[in-house]
Amino acid sequence: MVFLKSPDGGWGWVIVLVSFFTQFFCYGSPLAVGVLYLEWLDTFGEGKGKTAWIGSLANGVGLLASPVCSACVSSFGARPVTIFSGFMVAGGLMMSSFAPNIYFLFFSYGIIVGLGCGLLYTATVTITCQYFDKRRGLALGLISTGSSVGLFIYAALQRELIELYGLDGCLLIVGALSLNILACGSLMRPLELSDSPLPEKSCLEKVPDQYLIYHEKENVEENTSILEKDHNEEKCVNLSSRECKQDSILNQNGLISIHAKETDTYKQKVVEQTYFCKQLAKKKWQLYLNYWEETLFLFKNKVFLSLFIAILLFDIGGFPPSLLMEDVARSSNISEEEYVMPLISIIGIMTAVGKLVLGVLADFKWINTLYLYVITLIMTGVALVAIPFAKSYIILAILSGILGFLTGNWSIFPYVTTKTVGIEKLAHAYGVLMFFAGLGNSLGPPIVGWFYDWTQTYDIAFCFSGLCVLLGGLLLLVAALPCWDNCNNKSAKPPPNTYSYTVASSV
């Protein structure tokens, strides 16, 4: 399947627009789930750790299932997957309004909505990359802000809907809004194939050969027997019974030879199909082994191993504020009258700003992208440790803005991965890292909630989160020190087709 060249414009800007709104509608509620988290705590009366699983699953399942999502988009295309996933997200949100207990929400909101968001993210990124080549970075940056803008708006929207219509009415309305994803998906026109399309096969030609073997065999037998029967009856009228018997014996021998030839042909085709299946299975198994060998080789890279630990610890410690910050304010006895805007909204809008600013800084040649990423990790850890000391809305709002801005380091994470493992291994390495990022997203909020259930305060919980992020940042910094390059130069040369990360600045 050969597509036309990426137009880098034209209908591509429509793709950017609908992809932006797709991420806006699908990620708005899951990222602003902190508002719903407070209502679920009051409604079901469960512990904070158990209740936090709802939001963590909604944001982590999509990353954990990223290989499945990629396979679906590759097999069916971006438009069908977007429309189907729009039904998943809308249905999961509406089902959640009828949840009788928290375990139902694990499935309806956590798994169904989370998996739908993962499919939609993969579909929007894939079709945007197909339409853009030279301006791909700009296009991807624009659509990625859709989730951040959704977080900013949905935090205030869900709070208002809960006050007007209650929790159930809020989920129904938000689910209905998600149906707009279907309209966005219908506009995701795939790139047309090349000018010489293959001719359509007839219905008979589309039938696999192995089925035709059986039908041809049965038809030949049936037609041959009918013709021979008519011929025998006609000859038996004019010939004697002895001649008829001799003729019948000859015809029977002819039929046996025909059947023998057909049987030999059929057996030969079966042997060929069996051999083909064996070779295919052997090839797939070899690809599977090669995949794991390449994965193990990636972890021999000190910087990649440190990056893997850092992203896991960052998601365990850095994701909980977007889910729990509203409950932190309530636990600090901050009245709602002091609220200028929800803290989650501040996180959302500053995340969008952070993605754009950090993405622009990463394009400067005199800025080392890895060190820039390490700085964001260390500053995130410091801000998390400072949360227990914030006892007013203004301080919490400032910390929320800082954390939101630093969370925008997701925009430079592909840069760091590319320079760590090389462009040839980017897809493989990025998939591995995203899987463990999803694992961190799923585990982080429940761990912080369990700390609160154990100590009845968020102080130790956010100190733990901050230390996790600090540990990951410092470990990555140590692994990226230039002294390791000197040690590597004295050791054996790396295998071909691999890239070592040059930590020193280009200046």
Side-chain angles (χ1 to χ4, degrees):
M1 183 179 295
V2 180
F3 292 101
L4 296 177
K5 185 179 178 181
S6 300
D8 274 307
W11 192 260
W13 295 117
V14 178
I15 297 297
V16 169
L17 181 64
V18 297
S19 297
F20 173 89
F21 279 106
T22 297
Q23 293 202 15
F24 173 86
F25 285 117
C26 76
Y27 278 107
S29 181
L31 290 178
V33 72
V35 177
L36 303 176
Y37 173 75
L38 299 177
E39 301 298 323
W40 286 327
L41 284 174
D42 297 335
T43 302
F44 299 109
E46 298 286 351
K48 296 181 186 294
K50 183 184 290 187
T51 308
W53 273 110
I54 304 172
S56 63
L57 285 174
N59 289 277
V61 166
L63 292 174
L64 289 172
S66 55
V68 178
C69 298
S70 300
C72 290
V73 175
S74 300
S75 301
F76 304 106
R79 176 189 282 174
V81 169
T82 300
I83 294 175
F84 175 77
S85 302
F87 279 113
M88 285 186 65
V89 173
L93 290 170
M94 293 180 180
M95 287 171 59
S96 300
S97 65
F98 302 101
N101 52 56
I102 198 172
Y103 301 103
F104 187 87
L105 288 171
F106 289 163
F107 173 74
S108 62
Y109 198 98
I111 296 178
I112 295 181
V113 175
L115 186 58
C117 290
L119 288 167
L120 288 170
Y121 177 80
T122 306
T124 53
V125 170
T126 300
I127 195 168
T128 302
C129 290
Q130 290 175 358
Y131 268 87
F132 289 89
D133 184 15
K134 296 179 181 178
R135 301 177 179 176
R136 184 174 296 170
L138 174 62
L140 291 175
L142 290 174
I143 69 171
S144 67
T145 57
S147 58
S148 302
V149 175
L151 170 58
F152 173 72
I153 294 178
Y154 267 72
L157 176 64
Q158 290 185 147
R159 179 187 294 273
E160 189 67 23
L161 290 176
I162 289 172
E163 292 179 358
L164 294 175
Y165 305 105
L167 176 61
D168 298 341
C170 171
L171 289 170
L172 284 173
I173 295 173
V174 170
L177 288 175
S178 299
L179 291 173
N180 288 289
I181 297 173
L182 307 182
C184 295
S186 64
L187 295 174
M188 291 183 180
R189 185 175 65 197
L191 283 177
E192 296 180 359
L193 300 176
S194 57
D195 297 332
S196 56
L198 294 175
E200 281 289 329
K201 291 184 177 182
S202 64
C203 295
L204 182 61
E205 292 174 339
K206 293 180 180 179
V207 180
D209 293 339
Q210 58 266 34
Y211 296 109
L212 288 177
I213 293 172
Y214 294 102
H215 292 303
E216 289 175 358
K217 183 179 178 181
E218 293 173 358
N219 291 336
V220 169
E221 292 178 357
E222 183 179 357
N223 295 334
T224 304
S225 62
I226 292 174
L227 291 174
E228 294 299 335
K229 182 178 180 182
D230 293 340
H231 181 67
N232 288 340
E233 290 177 355
E234 184 177 351
K235 291 187 69 176
C236 286
V237 174
N238 300 320
L239 298 176
S240 63
S241 60
R242 183 177 179 181
E243 291 176 345
C244 288
K245 289 181 180 179
Q246 292 177 353
D247 197 16
S248 299
I249 292 172
L250 292 175
N251 292 331
Q252 188 175 6
N253 292 334
L255 283 174
I256 292 174
S257 63
I258 292 174
H259 291 318
K261 292 180 180 179
E262 292 174 1
T263 303
D264 293 340
T265 304
Y266 171 72
K267 289 182 178 179
Q268 183 179 0
K269 290 185 177 181
V270 170
V271 171
E272 291 175 356
Q273 293 289 336
T274 304
Y275 176 78
F276 172 77
C277 292
K278 288 182 178 179
Q279 292 298 317
L280 182 62
K282 184 178 180 180
K283 184 178 179 180
K284 293 292 184 181
W285 178 251
Q286 187 62 40
L287 290 175
Y288 180 77
L289 292 178
N290 292 340
Y291 175 85
W292 285 108
E293 288 179 1
E294 292 178 4
T295 303
L296 292 176
F297 181 78
L298 286 174
F299 282 99
K300 293 181 180 179
N301 185 335
K302 293 183 178 65
V303 178
F304 178 81
L305 179 60
S306 302
L307 188 62
F308 153 75
I309 298 174
I311 190 65
L312 177 63
L313 294 176
F314 172 73
D315 281 282
I316 289 177
F319 177 66
S322 62
L323 175 62
L324 305 173
M325 191 60 80
E326 296 293 329
D327 192 48
V328 171
R330 188 169 72 170
S331 301
S332 300
N333 297 321
I334 298 175
S335 63
E336 296 184 0
E337 298 176 355
E338 300 180 38
Y339 275 53
V340 177
M341 69 171 62
L343 296 174
I344 299 179
S345 295
I346 298 175
I347 293 176
I349 195 63
M350 291 305 297
T351 299
V353 174
K355 287 179 179 179
L356 295 175
V357 173
L358 293 175
V360 171
L361 290 176
D363 288 334
F364 289 107
K365 295 182 179 180
W366 51 272
I367 292 182
N368 188 290
T369 313
L370 181 59
Y371 287 154
L372 178 62
Y373 186 74
V374 169
I375 290 172
T376 61
L377 293 182
I378 294 176
M379 293 180 65
T380 300
V382 174
L384 288 170
V385 174
I387 288 179
F389 303 98
K391 302 300 180 182
S392 65
Y393 172 80
I394 296 177
I395 299 178
L396 283 176
I398 294 173
L399 290 175
S400 297
I402 294 173
L403 288 171
F405 181 86
L406 296 173
T407 305
N409 62 6
W410 278 103
S411 63
I412 64 174
F413 188 72
Y415 288 79
V416 178
T417 308
T418 302
K419 291 191 175 183
T420 302
V421 300
I423 190 65
E424 293 182 355
K425 298 183 182 299
L426 174 62
H428 185 182
Y430 198 74
V432 173
L433 293 173
M434 286 302 98
F435 175 84
F436 286 97
L439 184 63
N441 274 348
S442 301
L443 295 177
I447 291 175
V448 173
W450 288 331
F451 269 110
Y452 183 92
D453 294 335
W454 177 40
T455 61
Q456 295 303 308
T457 179
Y458 278 115
D459 295 350
I460 297 179
F462 278 100
C463 287
F464 168 79
S465 298
L467 290 176
C468 284
V469 179
L470 279 172
L471 176 62
L474 293 175
L475 183 64
L476 184 58
L477 176 62
V478 171
L481 290 176
C483 62
W484 294 111
D485 292 338
N486 298 330
C487 296
N488 291 333
N489 292 334
K490 296 178 182 180
S491 60
K493 295 182 179 180
N497 299 329
T498 60
Y499 297 79
S500 60
Y501 186 83
T502 304
V503 177
S505 178
S506 58
V507 175

